[in-house]
Amino acid sequence: MSSLPPSSSDVSLNPDGDRPAGAMAAEAMNSESRETEVDFEQELQAIETSLQALKTRHAEVQAAQQQKTQLLEQRDRLDSQSSTFKAELQAIDRQLSELEFTLESRLFSWAGVREYFWQAVRFGGLGLVIGWTLAYGVLKQPAQTPNAPLERQEIPQ
């Protein structure tokens, strides 16, 4: 290394004159990369939360399906016996209908439909804008009329 002071072309200062411009650019890039890392970590956390909710819901559905199978077997067993178990049979039927309602209502939610809804709105709107633009372009041009027929001219003989 030389002991010469840096020339004016080696170090450029920012307008305030306190730090080199290269250091400010490097600091800005580090700031952007930190923001990107934070965004990525937030997205990753959101995905993990969604995955955990999905796993929980899957476990609930499996447990409800097992309980439904057990209740169906118990209903069939009681149905084959005598009519004295009618009250118990009605209670089991009521529980089965509640379980089916729970299964159906849990599988359909606004959270699952929200993404598809906004995609339909976005692309439907884009289609409308493109259609209006094409219609405007076509209607702006005047319609071309066919050439008028030439008049007959008599040829002298």
Side-chain angles (χ1 to χ4, degrees):
M1 296 220 130
S2 67
S3 62
L4 295 174
S7 68
S8 63
S9 64
D10 292 342
V11 176
S12 60
L13 299 176
N14 67 357
D16 296 334
D18 56 352
R19 281 187 284 168
M24 289 182 63
E27 194 173 288
M29 288 178 61
N30 285 339
S31 172
E32 289 177 14
S33 68
R34 277 185 251 133
E35 289 176 9
T36 304
E37 287 179 19
V38 169
D39 290 344
F40 177 73
E41 289 174 3
Q42 289 174 349
E43 289 292 326
L44 186 60
Q45 183 65 31
I47 290 171
E48 287 176 354
T49 304
S50 297
L51 180 62
Q52 186 60 36
L54 183 63
K55 285 181 180 180
T56 303
R57 178 62 193 133
H58 184 262
E60 288 175 1
V61 168
Q62 284 183 334
Q65 285 177 340
Q66 286 178 347
Q67 187 177 4
K68 180 181 177 182
T69 304
Q70 291 172 354
L71 289 173
L72 285 171
E73 290 172 359
Q74 188 177 3
R75 183 183 73 175
D76 291 341
R77 227 183 12 251
L78 290 174
D79 197 25
S80 65
Q81 292 179 356
S82 74
S83 62
T84 58
F85 299 109
K86 292 254 184 198
E88 190 174 348
L89 184 60
Q90 289 174 350
I92 290 173
D93 282 337
R94 189 171 47 253
Q95 287 179 351
L96 278 172
S97 64
E98 289 173 5
L99 281 174
E100 287 176 3
F101 178 75
T102 301
L103 287 172
E104 290 172 0
S105 66
R106 290 293 202 134
L107 292 176
F108 180 77
S109 67
W110 172 247
V113 176
R114 180 176 49 206
E115 180 181 345
Y116 300 113
F117 172 77
W118 287 115
Q119 284 183 0
V121 168
R122 177 176 44 210
F123 293 120
L126 183 62
L128 282 173
V129 169
I130 291 171
W132 286 337
T133 304
L134 290 174
Y136 178 74
V138 168
L139 294 176
K140 190 174 179 181
Q141 295 176 354
Q144 296 181 0
T145 58
N147 294 336
L150 297 175
E151 293 182 19
R152 276 190 150 175
Q153 296 179 358
E154 292 185 22
I155 302 174
Q157 292 181 353

